[in-house]
Amino acid sequence: MKYLLWGFALLSFTACSDSNPTQSTSLSDSTATTASKSSPLVLSNLIVEPGQVLNIPPREYKHDTIHIKEGGLLKVNDNGSKWLVLNAKVLICEGSIEYRNVRRGVGKIEFAFQSGEKIDHTYDEGLGGSGGSGAANGRQQGGLGFRPTDYNGGGGGSGAYYIGTPRQNVPGMAATDFRGAPSPGLAHMSFGGNGARQPYGHGGLVCIVADKVTFGNLARIELSGTNGIDGSPAGGGDCYGGGQVYYWGGGGGGGGTAGGNGGVLKVMSSDVTNMPVVNVRPGRGGRGGKGGPGGRCSYQGQDGMNGDDGEQGYADWQ
């Protein structure tokens, strides 16, 4: 089969726990240096025992046999930005494989086999929600919320304010990034809410290459996107009388981040038994933060906008 790449077995490895059936172990990059930096980690067997959680960095792993037993979990470390490639003569998955929280904004993620064959994927990034605008106070305008150009939420604008010596009405300030605009006066009033930030959240990229693949009845591959983070609420306004009425507008709420996209599973094998549960659902966008209330007046700030929902991932059986 043209996708299969075999290497000389350098050592034998079994991920098992003799004393604690729920022990979490890891296969770190330092362990992986038994092979050269440019070559995949070559081991004779990779076995994840029941109750075992084996944490690994995303890269290629080549084995005679990969066996994830029922109740075992092969888990890729968070914040990865590479393909996980499981390359074996025989792969048996009766437990689970999990790869989530891939870094965002990295562009095309590509893996090249030694044969020259390549696989790649580019996540289409959704937009974070815009920050809400601060409220006017009947005399001056509130500050504008920030409209983001990436997956993070925009900051909210601050509300118009009555301040100074002598007292005067001043407009609210606009937000210029994810940070909410500060209050023109008292720190606890009229400020814009912060937009949420989330540097990772996509489902992972997994490629299985094997002569024979067998999935158990409880096998599961978890590559779902993460829900976006909600924007922050804004500071409230108020008004009072005393021969003259004075107003403070509520600030605009912060925008939510975009939800993470679902991941990708590629299975390259001509002999596959059973089908696992594959979760490549996207995450929903983060909710916008609430605009600041008007207190005793009606000058309430705008709510922040929700971030885009993520995109559905897919599985490809070849």
Side-chain angles (χ1 to χ4, degrees):
M1 185 175 180
K2 67 178 182 178
Y3 297 107
L4 293 179
L5 305 167
W6 306 122
F8 181 73
L10 298 181
L11 55 97
S12 176
F13 179 81
T14 302
C16 62
S17 170
D18 294 330
S19 59
N20 185 351
T22 61
Q23 178 181 352
S24 177
T25 58
S26 64
L27 187 59
S28 66
D29 284 316
S30 61
T31 305
T33 56
T34 55
S36 69
K37 286 289 185 179
S38 60
S39 65
L41 181 61
V42 183
L43 305 170
S44 60
N45 293 305
L46 172 61
I47 301 174
V48 183
E49 298 289 349
Q52 190 81 19
V53 179
L54 178 62
N55 296 286
I56 61 173
R59 51 165 296 159
E60 183 181 17
Y61 296 89
K62 295 177 70 174
H63 303 269
D64 291 329
T65 299
I66 296 175
H67 189 179
I68 305 167
K69 297 183 180 181
E70 185 175 323
L73 172 62
L74 184 67
K75 186 177 187 301
V76 177
N77 300 334
D78 284 351
N79 212 11
S81 59
K82 298 179 182 179
W83 282 85
L84 170 67
V85 179
L86 301 177
N87 193 333
K89 294 178 181 178
V90 177
L91 185 141
I92 304 168
C93 180
E94 300 163 317
S96 301
I97 299 170
E98 181 179 326
Y99 187 5
R100 303 182 70 207
N101 287 322
V102 171
R103 179 167 289 277
R104 308 173 100 160
V106 298
K108 183 167 71 173
I109 300 176
E110 184 177 272
F111 177 83
F113 293 99
Q114 291 176 354
S115 65
E117 186 81 22
K118 293 181 179 180
I119 54 176
D120 64 74
H121 182 72
T122 301
Y123 295 100
D124 292 327
E125 301 285 356
L127 290 177
S130 297
S133 294
N137 68 352
R139 293 164 175 80
Q140 292 284 357
Q141 295 297 313
L144 295 176
F146 181 72
R147 181 184 297 274
T149 57
D150 61 11
Y151 43 83
N152 292 314
S158 61
Y161 214 80
Y162 186 75
I163 192 175
T165 305
R167 294 275 181 172
Q168 59 181 329
N169 291 287
V170 296
M173 291 184 281
T176 57
D177 53 20
F178 70 92
R179 300 174 182 85
S183 170
L186 297 174
H188 69 283
M189 292 181 66
S190 302
F191 62 85
N194 288 332
R197 303 182 75 193
Q198 190 178 30
Y200 50 85
H202 296 315
L205 307 174
V206 175
C207 181
I208 295 173
V209 184
D211 279 342
K212 181 174 178 57
V213 178
T214 300
F215 293 105
N217 293 332
L218 299 179
R220 183 179 181 88
I221 300 179
E222 180 65 47
L223 307 175
S224 59
T226 303
N227 288 337
I229 298 175
D230 298 342
S232 299
D238 201 1
C239 63
Y240 69 92
Q244 182 178 351
V245 180
Y246 308 113
Y247 303 100
W248 294 264
T257 66
N261 294 347
V264 174
L265 171 68
K266 288 183 177 289
V267 179
M268 298 177 176
S269 177
S270 60
D271 188 353
V272 179
T273 302
N274 293 335
M275 299 288 281
V277 173
V278 181
N279 184 4
V280 289
R281 289 195 299 267
R284 67 162 178 80
R287 308 293 93 175
K290 297 294 291 183
R296 289 168 284 185
C297 291
S298 59
Y299 298 116
Q300 178 172 337
Q302 290 181 338
D303 294 343
M305 300 294 290
N306 299 338
D308 290 341
D309 293 336
E311 293 188 352
Q312 178 79 16
Y314 65 91
D316 183 12
W317 304 82
Q318 300 181 13

Coordinates of all heavy atoms in Angstrom, one line a residue, residues 210-247:
A210 N -2.4 2.1 8.2 CA -2.2 0.8 8.6 C -2.6 -0.2 7.6 O -3.5 0.0 6.8 CB -2.9 0.5 10.0
D211 N -2.0 -1.4 7.7 CA -2.4 -2.6 6.8 C -3.8 -3.0 7.3 O -4.7 -3.3 6.4 CB -1.5 -3.7 7.0 CG -0.2 -3.6 6.1 OD1 -0.2 -2.8 5.2 OD2 0.8 -4.3 6.4
K212 N -4.0 -3.1 8.6 CA -5.3 -3.5 9.1 C -5.7 -2.7 10.3 O -4.9 -2.4 11.2 CB -5.2 -5.0 9.6 CG -6.5 -5.6 10.1 CD -6.4 -7.0 10.4 CE -7.7 -7.6 11.0 NZ -8.9 -7.3 10.2
V213 N -6.9 -2.2 10.3 CA -7.5 -1.4 11.4 C -8.7 -2.0 11.9 O -9.6 -2.4 11.2 CB -7.8 0.0 10.9 CG1 -8.4 0.9 12.0 CG2 -6.6 0.7 10.3
T214 N -8.7 -2.2 13.3 CA -9.9 -2.8 13.9 C -10.4 -1.8 15.0 O -9.6 -1.4 15.9 CB -9.6 -4.1 14.5 OG1 -9.2 -5.0 13.5 CG2 -10.8 -4.7 15.2
F215 N -11.7 -1.5 15.0 CA -12.3 -0.6 16.0 C -13.2 -1.5 16.8 O -14.0 -2.2 16.3 CB -13.0 0.6 15.4 CG -12.2 1.6 14.7 CD1 -12.1 1.6 13.4 CD2 -11.4 2.4 15.5 CE1 -11.3 2.6 12.7 CE2 -10.6 3.4 14.9 CZ -10.5 3.4 13.5
G216 N -13.1 -1.3 18.2 CA -14.0 -2.0 19.1 C -15.4 -1.4 19.1 O -15.6 -0.3 18.6
N217 N -16.3 -2.0 19.8 CA -17.7 -1.5 19.9 C -17.8 -0.2 20.6 O -18.7 0.6 20.4 CB -18.6 -2.5 20.5 CG -18.8 -3.7 19.7 OD1 -18.7 -3.7 18.5 ND2 -19.1 -4.9 20.3
L218 N -16.8 0.1 21.5 CA -16.8 1.3 22.3 C -15.7 2.3 21.9 O -15.5 3.3 22.6 CB -16.6 1.0 23.8 CG -17.6 0.1 24.5 CD1 -17.3 -0.2 25.9 CD2 -19.0 0.7 24.3
A219 N -15.1 2.1 20.7 CA -14.1 3.0 20.2 C -14.7 4.4 19.9 O -15.8 4.5 19.4 CB -13.4 2.4 19.0
R220 N -13.9 5.4 20.3 CA -14.3 6.8 20.1 C -13.1 7.6 19.7 O -12.0 7.5 20.3 CB -15.0 7.3 21.4 CG -15.5 8.7 21.2 CD -16.2 9.2 22.5 NE -16.7 10.6 22.4 CZ -17.9 10.8 21.9 NH1 -18.8 9.9 21.6 NH2 -18.4 12.1 21.8
I221 N -13.3 8.5 18.7 CA -12.3 9.5 18.4 C -12.9 10.9 18.5 O -13.8 11.3 17.9 CB -11.8 9.2 16.9 CG1 -11.2 7.8 16.8 CG2 -10.8 10.3 16.5 CD1 -10.8 7.5 15.4
E222 N -12.3 11.6 19.4 CA -12.8 12.9 19.9 C -12.0 14.0 19.3 O -10.9 14.3 19.7 CB -12.8 13.0 21.4 CG -13.4 14.3 22.0 CD -14.9 14.5 21.7 OE1 -15.6 13.5 21.9 OE2 -15.2 15.6 21.3
L223 N -12.6 14.7 18.3 CA -11.9 15.8 17.6 C -12.8 17.1 17.5 O -12.8 17.8 16.5 CB -11.5 15.4 16.2 CG -10.7 14.1 16.0 CD1 -10.5 13.7 14.6 CD2 -9.4 14.2 16.7
S224 N -13.6 17.3 18.5 CA -14.6 18.4 18.5 C -13.9 19.7 18.7 O -12.9 19.8 19.4 CB -15.7 18.1 19.5 OG -15.2 18.0 20.8
G225 N -14.6 20.8 18.2 CA -14.1 22.1 18.5 C -14.6 22.6 19.8 O -15.6 22.1 20.4
T226 N -13.9 23.6 20.4 CA -14.2 24.1 21.7 C -15.2 25.3 21.6 O -15.1 26.1 20.6 CB -12.9 24.6 22.4 OG1 -12.0 23.5 22.5 CG2 -13.2 25.1 23.8
N227 N -16.1 25.4 22.5 CA -17.0 26.5 22.5 C -16.2 27.8 22.7 O -15.2 27.8 23.5 CB -18.1 26.4 23.6 CG -19.1 25.4 23.3 OD1 -19.4 25.0 22.1 ND2 -19.8 24.8 24.3
G228 N -16.7 28.9 22.1 CA -16.1 30.2 22.3 C -16.3 30.7 23.7 O -17.1 30.3 24.5
I229 N -15.4 31.7 24.1 CA -15.5 32.3 25.4 C -16.4 33.6 25.3 O -16.3 34.3 24.4 CB -14.1 32.7 25.9 CG1 -13.3 31.4 26.0 CG2 -14.2 33.4 27.2 CD1 -11.8 31.6 26.4
D230 N -17.2 33.8 26.4 CA -18.1 34.9 26.4 C -17.4 36.2 26.7 O -16.4 36.3 27.4 CB -19.2 34.7 27.5 CG -20.0 33.5 27.2 OD1 -20.1 33.0 26.1 OD2 -20.7 33.0 28.2
G231 N -17.9 37.3 26.1 CA -17.4 38.6 26.4 C -17.8 39.1 27.7 O -18.7 38.6 28.4
S232 N -17.1 40.1 28.2 CA -17.4 40.6 29.6 C -18.5 41.7 29.6 O -18.7 42.5 28.6 CB -16.1 41.3 30.2 OG -15.1 40.3 30.3
P233 N -19.3 41.8 30.7 CA -20.3 42.8 30.8 C -19.7 44.2 31.0 O -18.5 44.3 31.4 CB -21.1 42.4 32.0 CG -20.2 41.6 32.8 CD -19.3 40.9 31.8
A234 N -20.4 45.2 30.7 CA -20.0 46.6 30.8 C -20.4 47.3 32.1 O -21.3 46.8 32.8 CB -20.4 47.4 29.6
G235 N -19.8 48.4 32.4 CA -20.2 49.2 33.5 C -21.5 50.0 33.3 O -21.8 50.4 32.2
G236 N -22.3 50.1 34.3 CA -23.6 50.8 34.2 C -23.6 52.3 34.3 O -22.6 52.9 34.7
G237 N -24.6 52.9 33.8 CA -24.8 54.4 33.9 C -25.8 54.7 35.0 O -26.2 53.9 35.8
D238 N -26.2 56.0 35.0 CA -27.1 56.4 36.0 C -27.5 57.9 35.7 O -26.9 58.5 34.8 CB -26.5 56.3 37.4 CG -27.6 56.3 38.5 OD1 -28.8 56.3 38.2 OD2 -27.2 56.2 39.7
C239 N -28.4 58.4 36.5 CA -28.8 59.8 36.4 C -29.4 60.3 37.7 O -29.8 59.4 38.5 CB -29.8 60.1 35.2 SG -31.4 59.3 35.4
Y240 N -29.4 61.6 38.0 CA -30.0 62.1 39.1 C -30.4 63.5 38.9 O -29.9 64.2 38.0 CB -29.1 62.0 40.4 CG -27.9 62.9 40.4 CD1 -28.0 64.2 40.9 CD2 -26.7 62.5 39.8 CE1 -26.9 65.0 41.0 CE2 -25.6 63.3 39.8 CZ -25.7 64.6 40.4 OH -24.6 65.4 40.4
G241 N -31.3 64.1 39.7 CA -31.8 65.4 39.5 C -31.3 66.3 40.6 O -30.8 65.9 41.7
G242 N -31.5 67.6 40.5 CA -31.1 68.6 41.5 C -31.1 70.0 40.8 O -30.0 70.6 40.7
G243 N -32.2 70.4 40.4 CA -32.3 71.6 39.6 C -32.0 71.4 38.2 O -32.5 72.1 37.3
Q244 N -31.2 70.4 37.9 CA -30.8 70.0 36.6 C -30.6 68.5 36.6 O -30.2 67.9 37.6 CB -29.6 70.7 36.1 CG -29.1 70.4 34.7 CD -27.9 71.2 34.3 OE1 -27.5 72.1 35.1 NE2 -27.3 70.9 33.2
V245 N -30.8 67.8 35.5 CA -30.6 66.3 35.5 C -29.3 66.0 34.8 O -29.0 66.5 33.7 CB -31.8 65.6 34.7 CG1 -31.6 64.1 34.7 CG2 -33.1 66.0 35.4
Y246 N -28.6 65.1 35.5 CA -27.2 64.7 35.0 C -27.3 63.2 34.6 O -27.9 62.4 35.3 CB -26.2 64.9 36.0 CG -26.2 66.3 36.6 CD1 -26.6 66.5 37.9 CD2 -25.9 67.4 35.8 CE1 -26.6 67.8 38.5 CE2 -26.0 68.7 36.3 CZ -26.3 68.9 37.6 OH -26.4 70.2 38.2
Y247 N -26.6 62.9 33.5 CA -26.7 61.5 32.9 C -25.3 60.9 32.7 O -24.3 61.6 32.3 CB -27.4 61.6 31.6 CG -28.7 62.2 31.6 CD1 -29.0 63.5 31.2 CD2 -29.8 61.4 32.0 CE1 -30.2 64.0 31.1 CE2 -31.1 61.9 32.0 CZ -31.3 63.3 31.6 OH -32.6 63.8 31.5

